[in-house]
């Protein structure tokens, strides 16, 4: 299979777009990654805001430049608020992104993710097991960990992207970004990124911001994956363990 | 206009009061800044506790030395618990502080903040847009970001402070602390502080602790603003980006 | 009284068991320590997942290798989900651990902790005041801070451990781990650990993981206490305040 690749020039251009446009991102995300997600968006020059009360979520989704829906610690209250936010974003023609954390194994979120799929998310970001479970081709991972490789998930991702008219990011050792017609492969990064909570969820937030940028959306998303992978490599070189990886990663993103 | 200023000796005295009295602060704050808020209070020698269940919040507000109400991720459940905590703090004559995050734009929290205003918060801490929106003189900021300068907000803050009999902190490039009669100006700090989530919310928690100290309350609040700004300057000098700013900031506060 | 002690060889063995078995830990914990808890588990080689919706919590507790119940920011919704998770863990014969944060003073959580006691937690981890309050021999601490020493709490802990057939960790200057018959004492650590939010809650998560390991459970729990204390000592030596303590602590755990 033939994949598009990306150049350093293109990556730099997306970096610059983040700081010039500074998209305001409405994050409806899980309890575990709230701070890290906000700091990742701030580091790349975007403006995060977490708004969760149903009426406010509906109102804010139309004001913000993009909405992130991450089902990591879904509850029925949050589900109601997320639904309103998605309807509102669609009505206001704002992009919204689904992060289907641990979909497959857990029934409540799996049902909700399938419901959201019908509302045509602008983009979806998950690990290989999550994307396969969302596409109905596997049972999901072990908790939040993937049991499959991005290569395993690519055919299902491409088919699902065409079916739902969305862009899908499978993140892992190689990230694939596909709309079902074009597929971009992004190499790099480091396994230590899976030993720090929130790097995947943070990528989903950054992908939401990428969807709010002008220009080639698939390319902006791919460049965002590259920005995160490169920051992970720099942080890995400078850190002495998973603890110092965190500030080093944000430092690399913010420079 | 003539502003009071503060001396290093005064700032040191407030620092010492924090460690001697170690006020126990009941934080009802947003999902994004819980950890950072707790670590900021611990770093300056105070004792944080987050208690949110309505009955417990009511009970704990009377036990703690001060209560922080931050509406960043307000929900109707939290609103009920916050109401009970405020009633309880007032009844027990304990100080309580309002942080009206993103007030103005979002209706649910705006209505709640106006309700709380009538209950005479001991102090209020917000950015310029938030203070202006609370006073009814603007529509609020862009998400959690201010679109105004502290100078823009000062007349409205002074009028509101007199009307509600409270002390208001407008934080920004210059912080102003006013009770409507006296106004203290605090310079310093660094713009990087706005690129790390929770520095403003953390200041509100520290201001709550300042309200629990003996002595000149307006001065203790102003000194607390200075303590945070100085820690921000030290952290900026020692950090290599927004990531390492965070541990450096807490290190500076804890030394 | 005669206490067992542990050797470096034993501690190393438990460390190795964490990385070999990588237990999947279902954390139902408080709002303040979610990220730090996840990063602590990841640092020692375990796999954390936070699942809180009642149906999902019930389902996941049977899949995971252990369940942590921490009542720090208990609400009635979370109480319902925790109950289902505990029933499910018991039914599936999976270990579950109670962290009775601030039990004693606050009535809602105190009642719930007493209810959970009757369900025979595999282990309980608290500070001295919490363990004494749980055993009914004191009124609890000051917020989340202990007003007693581990020595004060040991007789009550030993009696409670026998009564409920559980293992109890009293953490403090010395940690005691007891099943009411054997008692292991773990020295070390540093007071700075009480000035960073979440070291105690993180220990409870690690203790949950220890309960999921093969071998002598009491010894694995004690070794886990030692692993945390030793990481605290290393971090204290390398840090410049409470801020840099956090990444240094995780670095020490992850190495």
């Amino acid at each position: 299979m033939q994949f598009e690749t990306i150049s350093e020039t293109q990556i730099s251009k997306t970096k610059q777009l983040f700081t010039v446009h500074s998209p305001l991102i409405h994050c409806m995300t899980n309890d575990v990654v709230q701070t890290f997600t906000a700091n990742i968006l701030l580091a790349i020059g975007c403006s995060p805001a977490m708004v969760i009360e149903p009426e406010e979520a509906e109102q804010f989704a139309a004001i913000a430049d993009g909405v992130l829906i991450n089902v990591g610690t879904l509850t029925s209250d949050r589900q109601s608020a997320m639904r309103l936010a998605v309807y509102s974003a669609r009505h206001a023609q704002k992009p919204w992104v689904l992060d289907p954390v641990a979909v497959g194994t857990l029934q409540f979120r799996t049902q909700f993710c399938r419901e959201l799929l019908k509302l045509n998310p602008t983009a979806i970001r998950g690990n290989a097991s999550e994307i396969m479970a969302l596409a109905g081709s596997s049972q999901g991972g072990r908790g939040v960990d993937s049991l499959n490789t991005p290569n395993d998930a690519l055919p299902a991702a491409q088919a699902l992207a065409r079916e739902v008219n969305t862009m899908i990011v499978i993140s892992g050792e190689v990230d694939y970004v596909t709309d079902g017609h074009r597929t971009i492969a992004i190499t790099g990064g480091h396994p230590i990124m899976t030993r720090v909570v929130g790097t995947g969820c943070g990528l989903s937030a950054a992908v939401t911001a990428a969807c709010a940028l002008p220009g080639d959306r698939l390319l902006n998303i791919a460049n965002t994956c590259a920005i995160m992978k490169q920051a992970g490599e720099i942080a890995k070189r400078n850190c002495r363990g998973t603890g110092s990886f965190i500030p080093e990663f944000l430092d690399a993103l913010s420079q």
Side-chain angles (χ1 to χ4, degrees), chain A:
Chain A
M1 201 181 300
Q2 204 74 20
F3 301 126
E4 293 181 41
T5 54
I6 46 179
S7 69
E8 285 304 316
T9 314
Q10 288 169 323
I11 296 168
S12 294
K13 204 178 154 192
T14 297
K15 266 188 201 171
Q16 208 183 343
L17 287 173
F18 279 133
T19 57
V20 170
H21 291 271
S22 188
L24 175 61
I25 302 305
H26 180 186
C27 301
M28 303 187 78
T29 190
N30 71 68
D31 293 339
V32 194
V33 302
Q34 301 261 345
T35 316
F36 195 42
T37 299
N39 280 329
I40 285 171
L41 286 174
L42 285 165
I44 60 173
C46 305
S47 190
M50 279 67 174
V51 174
I52 57 171
E53 194 278 331
E55 278 178 54
E56 286 198 347
E58 182 175 23
Q59 194 191 346
F60 194 60
I63 295 169
D65 299 314
V67 179
L68 168 66
I69 304 292
N70 173 309
V71 302
T73 52
L74 192 65
T75 62
S76 58
D77 282 353
R78 286 179 206 179
Q79 190 186 49
S80 308
M82 286 173 175
R83 234 178 233 132
L84 290 171
V86 168
Y87 294 155
S88 178
R90 280 166 57 96
H91 188 259
Q93 297 187 293
K94 300 293 178 75
W96 67 281
V97 171
L98 173 64
D99 184 335
V101 179
V103 71
T105 320
L106 297 165
Q107 287 158 18
F108 182 76
R109 70 186 64 195
T110 302
Q111 200 166 355
F112 184 53
C113 287
R114 294 208 191 292
E115 177 192 331
L116 290 181
L117 263 191
K118 292 181 193 151
L119 298 171
N120 308 98
T122 312
I124 299 167
R125 198 293 311 171
N127 64 36
S129 289
E130 288 161 351
I131 297 299
M132 288 172 78
L134 196 64
S137 65
S138 96
Q139 294 297 310
R142 179 175 180 263
V144 298
D145 300 328
S146 186
L147 298 173
N148 302 91
T149 68
N151 271 320
D152 296 338
L154 188 54
Q158 289 168 325
L160 183 63
R162 281 191 298 269
E163 185 191 326
V164 187
N165 191 26
T166 188
M167 296 176 179
I168 297 183
V169 180
I170 316 164
S171 57
E173 200 182 328
V174 176
D175 289 356
Y176 290 114
V177 182
T178 183
D179 62 4
H181 308 283
R182 298 162 60 197
T183 299
I184 310 179
I186 306 101
T187 55
H190 193 277
I192 196 176
M193 297 175 80
T194 63
R195 293 190 56 207
V196 170
V197 81
T199 51
C201 299
L203 172 59
S204 298
V207 164
T208 311
C211 289
L213 298 180
D216 181 340
R217 185 172 278 167
L218 199 74
L219 185 57
N220 277 325
I221 294 175
N223 290 336
T224 302
C225 293
I227 291 168
M228 299 290 277
K229 276 187 176 294
Q230 290 179 354
E233 290 165 25
I234 295 167
K236 170 59 196 167
R237 279 199 297 275
N238 295 336
C239 77
R240 294 173 308 281
T242 58
S244 50
F245 179 87
I246 300 165
E248 293 288 351
F249 181 66
L250 292 171
D251 279 356
L253 285 176
S254 72
Q255 273 155 3

